[in-house]
Amino acid sequence: DQQVKQNSPSLSVQEGRISILNCDYTNSMFDYFLWYKKYPAEGPTFLISISSIKDKNEDGRFTVFLNKSAKHLSLHIVPSQPGDSAVYFCAASDGGGADGLTFGKGTHLIIQP
Amino acid sequence: EPEVTQTPSHQVTQMGQEVILRCVPISNHLYFYWYRQILGQKVEFLVSFYNNEISEKSEIFDDQFSVERPDGSNFTLKIRSTKLEDSAMYFCASSPGGLGETQYFGPGTRLLVL
């Protein structure tokens, strides 16, 4: 039961170019979406989030787009930097503070010099 | 910047033993969570805790698991009788609370059950 899907296990992008990571979800009750970045042997680090009432949220080099009708969100990183190489997890929540997040399997982003 | 801390960073135990994983959430946060990630798999929700009681729990969180906030700062996960399949990274998280509040994760405890 994969309610949150990240279909690309890995993505390789040249430094300076745009990285686009995709995420699909099936549960229409999800109303809050988050992207986390994770390095090996560390915990997930929060990057950016978006509420279902918005279709775009921007924070510096990171922009998240939400297409509710397609149940799809994407994370854009521009320009990509070597330090962006990590595993990126999409996560979703369907309620308030008590609800656990449902995570995707992650996409390993590799930024090539 | 405040952060969630977890101890120990690594724990090795024998099957059938009890383990307690400890977390110190961010001080003004109201909701606390435990997640686990088995090697090669996705991060999975175990339990959430608010106002000194369990708010939500997943199917994974069976009777061998328990959580406690023994004092004003610590939040613990106890596994009563560990099994081989409990080997995983265990992450604690906390959030300020309310709708759409971000959860902030600790660095994790790597548990290995032999």
Side-chain angles (χ1 to χ4, degrees):
Chain A
D1 176 348
Q2 278 195 74
Q3 297 189 66
V4 177
K5 301 177 190 178
Q6 293 178 258
N7 291 321
S8 299
S10 67
L11 175 68
S12 184
V13 174
Q14 260 194 316
E15 183 180 354
R17 306 293 291 266
I18 183 170
S19 296
I20 301 176
L21 297 101
N22 293 304
C23 177
D24 297 293
Y25 62 96
T26 56
N27 188 342
S28 57
M29 298 299 292
F30 286 145
D31 60 3
Y32 189 62
F33 304 89
L34 308 93
W35 285 95
Y36 286 86
K37 174 181 178 180
K38 187 180 180 302
Y39 295 115
E42 293 186 12
T45 301
F46 170 71
L47 272 178
I48 192 168
S49 61
I50 188 165
S51 162
S52 60
I53 62 173
K54 295 186 174 181
D55 55 19
K56 178 182 173 181
N57 188 26
E58 193 171 351
D59 184 2
R61 296 187 298 116
F62 302 94
T63 304
V64 56
F65 296 92
L66 174 63
N67 182 333
K68 280 202 314 181
S69 60
K71 294 191 176 67
H72 176 84
L73 63 154
S74 60
L75 173 68
H76 293 211
I77 307 172
V78 57
S80 301
Q81 298 174 354
D84 295 330
S85 295
V87 178
Y88 288 77
F89 290 98
C90 172
S93 169
D94 63 359
D99 287 354
L101 299 176
T102 301
F103 280 82
K105 288 188 174 181
T107 296
H108 185 193
L109 176 65
I110 301 161
I111 305 301
Q112 295 187 332
Chain B
E1 185 174 325
E3 57 184 22
V4 177
T5 59
Q6 290 184 243
T7 55
S9 58
H10 295 80
Q11 173 105 35
V12 180
T13 189
Q14 295 290 326
M15 190 170 57
Q17 295 296 303
E18 174 184 287
V19 295
I20 298 176
L21 309 182
R22 290 182 168 79
C23 168
V24 178
I26 295 172
S27 64
N28 61 344
H29 285 188
L30 301 178
Y31 289 86
F32 315 118
Y33 314 83
W34 283 101
Y35 291 80
R36 78 172 184 192
Q37 185 180 28
I38 294 171
L39 188 63
Q41 298 186 24
K42 60 181 179 178
V43 177
E44 299 173 291
F45 168 70
L46 293 178
V47 65
S48 62
F49 192 86
Y50 170 73
N51 201 25
N52 283 318
E53 61 183 24
I54 290 174
S55 297
E56 298 283 341
K57 59 183 180 178
S58 71
E59 294 175 352
I60 304 167
F61 194 87
D62 60 23
D63 291 344
Q64 71 161 340
F65 292 95
S66 62
V67 289
E68 194 178 34
R69 188 156 163 82
D71 54 42
S73 60
N74 289 284
F75 178 51
T76 63
L77 174 70
K78 182 191 291 186
I79 310 175
R80 269 181 260 283
S81 177
T82 50
K83 305 171 190 168
L84 296 176
E85 54 265 36
D86 292 328
S87 295
M89 280 290 286
Y90 287 81
F91 296 107
C92 175
S94 69
S95 79
L99 288 173
E101 288 288 358
T102 298
Q103 296 180 24
Y104 296 89
F105 285 75
T109 293
R110 181 172 294 284
L111 176 66
L112 179 60
V113 181
L114 302 176

